[in-house]
């Protein structure tokens, strides 16, 4: 039975959530409109939801500059695909071996992995190790390897998943049929754990797609390895530099105009917005099962 | 489980160990990465206790033990970044919990599944965006020349434009809004998952007893959410010394005029290392953060063990 009070509560729910929904989307709409605004108009009136004059000049500029931006795009796609695949495989294999209850050394290994959640050397120490020992500065590994590839959380997720859901009888049957452990893992365990792989893989892919922090540590400003996110960050830094050193300001098109910057940002978020309806379901499911942490 | 079909057990030790070789091999890539990414930096931490000497190599300067830390804590910045990190964390925990819970309860009252799905999907979009992108969005609103707020909102209201990126006093609020804006969709999801576990019987019984909606919220929903909330608060206490680097670095555009209110421990460590090239100070800050962070996590875990043992990390 729906009472009057229920209706009032539902109404306030619609008002508050409607407001949140509008606030969540409006900035993106402003960004997209800003990227289609005529440069002179946006300098005169500021960014606006109802621009005086529309223009697609920013996107024409992007097409002209496609070697820079297209390259950044390819690098982003490359690190996302390679990083996600290797990270999930590593976490899956490690989690699977730790799920063997009688594995000698299992407790020590688990402890060493859990310990990384409690204590870490800090970004500076990590930076020193990667640059002084492994020399990954300005290579693709600088974007790919530090911090993103694997974390204790996903290993533990996989371990628990395998421990609780794998049917022992099925694995034993494969062993008795003479399948090697590697083969069992590859053709029986992995296909059965697709939901888990999808959740962990999705989180990892989002992390790679959105990452700019490795870029500011492991790429020099003029590096050729810029991904979309580090390129966007680079543009921010250049503007800051010019503002702080306005006496040496050289007029010209050293930095992209305001509308072009907005257009590059739109190009950066477009894939996420387009894929959002598809991956959202997996994400929500991941949160519900505790496989995604905040 | 019938043990009859399992592989013969322990004929001798050798056979048994050989059986595990494939598992060790599978574990190897991941373990190697953990060693490089998480354990080698522990060795790198010694830089904080040495004098930096490039000619001898970064790891070979003479030991000065705690001199670098003495120097660090004599600076004004050490106090500012610690204060900022802790206060922002407290602010985010309190506001985040209250806002998240209120919105989730209201979300739960919406009876149309479709509407719920639409709100949920839209509110979650910001969660998936990187902080660089968010900084562009903020810039579109806050830029002093072309920003939407100065040019449209304040103009319509007849208020003088504000130079947002050089006026420090507004930033605690701006950062709070941005962090809530980015996180609200996720909180709705988290709290709703909890609310769904409350059985309908409680509400039905309460309705029969003539309870009002408010009473149901106060006496059913909140008590049921309480363990989850306590757990989340204690967990975030463990992260008190860490901050969202992107939020404090990208959103204020690393503007010097705002450093007093935007420098957190992570931002300082980054700026010392990449901006000033001061490896020693930066690693001293890193050690300070890791050490205090470790103690806080241990304490928060001890509390969790008291409150709800199954959620303890160890």
């Amino acid at each position: 039975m729906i009472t009057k009070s229920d209706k009032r509560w539902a109404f306030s729910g619609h008002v508050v959530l409607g407001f949140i929904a509008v606030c969540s989307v409006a900035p993106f709409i402003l960004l997209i409109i800003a990227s289609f605004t005529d440069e002179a108009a946006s300098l005169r009136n500021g960014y606006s939801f109802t621009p005086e004059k529309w223009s697609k000049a920013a996107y024409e500029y992007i097409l002209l500059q496609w070697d820079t931006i297209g390259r950044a795009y390819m690098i982003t796609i490359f690190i996302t695909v390679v990083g996600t695949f290797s990270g999930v495989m590593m976490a899956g294999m490690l989690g699977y071996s730790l799920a063997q209850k009688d594995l000698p050394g299992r407790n020590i290994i688990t402890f060493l992995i859990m310990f990384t959640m409690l204590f870490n050397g800090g970004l500076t120490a990590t930076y020193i190790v990667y640059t002084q020992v492994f020399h990954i500065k300005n290579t693709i590994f600088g974007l790919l390897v530090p911090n993103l590839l694997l974390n204790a959380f996903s290993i533990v997720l996989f371990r628990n998943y395998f421990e609780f859901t794998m049917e022992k009888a099925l694995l034993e049957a494969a062993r008795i049929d003479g399948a090697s452990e590697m083969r069992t893992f590859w053709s029986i365990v992995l296909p059965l754990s697709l939901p888990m792989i999808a959740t962990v893989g999705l989180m990892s892919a989002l992390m790679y797609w959105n990452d700019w922090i490795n870029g500011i540590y492991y790429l020099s400003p003029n590096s050729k390895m810029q991904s979309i996110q580090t390129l966007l960050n680079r543009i921010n830094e250049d503007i800051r530099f010019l503002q702080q050193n306005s006496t040496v300001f050289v007029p010209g098109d050293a930095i992209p105009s305001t509308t072009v910057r907005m257009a590059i940002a739109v190009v950066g978020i477009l894939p996420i917005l387009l894929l959002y309806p598809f991956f959202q379901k997996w994400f929500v499911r991941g949160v519900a099962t505790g496989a995604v942490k905040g | 489980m019938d043990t009859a079909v399992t592989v013969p057990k322990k004929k001798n030790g050798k056979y048994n160990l050989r059986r595990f070789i494939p598992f060790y091999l599978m574990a190897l890539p991941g373990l190697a990465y953990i060693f490089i990414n998480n354990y080698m930096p522990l060795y790198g931490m010694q830089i904080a206790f040495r004098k930096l000497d490039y000619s001898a190599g970064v790891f070979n300067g003479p030991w000065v033990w705690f001199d670098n830390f003495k120097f660090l804590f004599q600076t004004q910045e050490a106090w500012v970044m610690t204060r900022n990190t802790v206060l922002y964390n407290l602010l985010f925990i309190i506001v985040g919990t209250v806002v998240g819970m209120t919105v989730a309860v209201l979300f739960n009252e919406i009876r149309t599944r479709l509407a719920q799905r639409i709100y949920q999907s839209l509110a979650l979009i910001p969660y998936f965006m990187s902080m660089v992108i968010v900084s562009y969005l903020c810039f579109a609103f806050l830029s002093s020349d072309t920003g939407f707020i100065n040019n449209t909102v304040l103009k319509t209201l007849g208020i003088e434009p504000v130079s947002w990126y050089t006026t420090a006093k507004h930033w605690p609020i701006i950062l709070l809004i941005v962090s809530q804006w980015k996180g609200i969709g996720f909180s709705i999801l988290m709290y709703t998952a909890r609310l769904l576990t409350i059985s309908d019987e409680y509400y039905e019984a309460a309705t029969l007893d003539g309870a009002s909606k408010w009473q149901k919220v106060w006496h059913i929903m909140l008590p049921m959410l309480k363990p989850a909330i306590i757990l989340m608060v204690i967990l975030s206490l463990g992260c008190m010394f860490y901050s969202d680097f992107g939020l404090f670095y990208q959103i204020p555009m690393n503007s010097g005029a705002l450093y007093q209110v935007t420098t957190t421990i992570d931002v300082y460590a980054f700026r010392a290392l990449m901006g000033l090239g001061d490896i020693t100070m930066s690693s001293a800050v890193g050690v300070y953060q890791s050490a205090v962070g470790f103690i806080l996590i241990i304490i928060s875990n001890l509390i969790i063990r008291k409150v709800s043992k199954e959620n303890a990390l160890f």
Side-chain angles (χ1 to χ4, degrees), chain A residues 176-222:
Chain A
I176 286 166
D177 283 349
S180 68
E181 294 298 346
M182 198 58 213
R183 205 186 143 77
T184 313
F185 176 71
W186 186 256
S187 46
I188 295 176
V189 177
L190 277 191
L192 283 175
S193 45
L194 274 181
M196 201 67 216
I197 292 176
T199 310
V200 175
L202 171 64
M203 291 314 288
S204 168
L206 280 167
M207 249 165 32
Y208 273 107
W209 187 276
N210 281 335
D211 186 64
W212 48 275
I213 296 185
N214 275 349
I216 62 176
Y217 277 98
Y218 299 103
L219 296 183
S220 317
N222 51 3

Side-chain angles (χ1 to χ4, degrees), chain B residues 8-71:
Chain B
K9 274 184 188 167
K10 279 188 200 168
K11 265 186 208 155
N12 52 51
K14 203 174 146 201
Y15 175 76
N16 202 26
L17 211 61
R18 259 185 57 189
R19 166 166 121 64
F20 288 110
I21 289 175
F23 292 114
Y24 288 124
L25 284 179
M26 273 193 256
L28 195 63
L31 290 180
Y33 179 76
I34 297 271
F35 176 74
I36 291 171
N37 193 67
N38 298 82
Y39 281 92
M40 284 180 69
L42 297 188
Y43 174 81
M45 286 173 98
Q46 55 171 295
I47 296 168
F49 302 93
R50 287 176 185 269
K51 192 172 182 292
L52 188 65
D53 183 355
Y54 274 115
S55 56
V58 253
F59 292 120
N60 296 321
W63 291 98
V64 294
W65 301 109
F66 288 95
D67 283 6
N68 297 328
F69 293 91
K70 262 186 224 151
F71 182 78

Side-chain angles (χ1 to χ4, degrees), chain A residues 47 104 112 124 145 229 240 276, chain B residues 24 33 39 121 130 253 282:
Chain A
Y47 302 123
L112 288 175
T124 316
V145 177
Q229 303 286 341
R240 204 170 299 142
Y276 181 65
Chain B
Y24 288 124
Y33 179 76
Y39 281 92
S121 307
S130 82
M253 306 281 243
S282 177

Side-chain angles (χ1 to χ4, degrees), chain A residues 6 56 62 90 151 173-175 200 212 221 229 241 245 265 293:
Chain A
D6 281 337
K56 52 185 197 319
I62 287 186
M90 279 156 88
N151 60 59
R175 273 173 205 146
V200 175
W212 48 275
Q229 303 286 341
F241 178 79
N245 305 276
K293 61 174 181 169

